[in-house]
Every structure is written in C-alpha cells, then in structure tokens.
Amino acid sequence: MVIVHVVAPAEFGGLERVVQMLGRGLSGHGHDVHVLAVVVRGQTADPFLAPLADAGVSTRTLAVPGRAYRRERTAVASAVMRMLRGADWSHIG
C-alpha cells in the first residue's frame, strides 16, 4: 500500500514523533511510505526526516513562501499526486 504523510514539522513535538513511528512501522511491514515535510523557505526539516530516511522511508521537503497558503496548498497537492502515482486508492481531503 502507498502511504503519504504530510506534516509541517516543528523543532520538536508529539506529531513529529508519531509520524516517525508510523513511517518506520508501516515501512517495516512492507508498505511504500512517503513523508512530505512542508517548511517555510530557508528552514530545514532534516532533523525530523533523517530517522525516517535511515529506516528506508521516502522523504521529501517542500519549501514554500511564508503565509502563501494558496500556493502551499497547490504545491502540496501536486507533490502528493506525484507520490501516489500507481496507487489503487487515495484519500485526499
């Protein structure tokens, strides 16, 4: 199954740990897991993404201009659709 997690990671926090655990666990069960980290241009998501990449999870960073919400939504949708190519089903809300 293709699974995509989209997250705007902070420097630390519960959401980030949950996504890391889910990504590693689902990948370990044979799923095709992707994590897309959405950050403001000039910031990095490397500390959040590194443990996932080490576990074999496909990771990507999407840098967007601050407070450009419409462009951010379009860029996220485009990136997710590229990751889901070949998927049998998707739920994008």
Side-chain angles (χ1 to χ4, degrees), residues 1 16 34 60 78:
M1 177 183 303
E16 293 78 7
H34 304 263
R60 294 188 183 146
S78 177

Side-chain angles (χ1 to χ4, degrees), residues 9-88:
E11 290 183 37
F12 60 89
L15 171 65
E16 293 78 7
R17 298 304 154 256
V18 169
V19 171
Q20 287 174 336
M21 288 188 298
L22 284 170
R24 288 190 307 253
L26 293 166
S27 179
H29 279 68
H31 296 289
D32 182 12
V33 181
H34 304 263
V35 175
L36 176 65
V38 181
V39 298
V40 175
R41 282 190 186 140
Q43 295 181 348
T44 181
D46 293 345
F48 166 67
L49 295 175
L52 291 160
D54 290 345
V57 174
S58 172
T59 62
R60 294 188 183 146
T61 300
L62 177 62
V64 296
R67 303 181 60 85
Y69 304 117
R70 192 169 292 175
R71 286 193 296 181
E72 177 180 331
R73 181 178 171 91
T74 301
V76 166
S78 177
V80 169
M81 293 310 292
R82 283 192 305 273
M83 287 183 235
L84 289 176
R85 281 198 185 116
D88 294 327

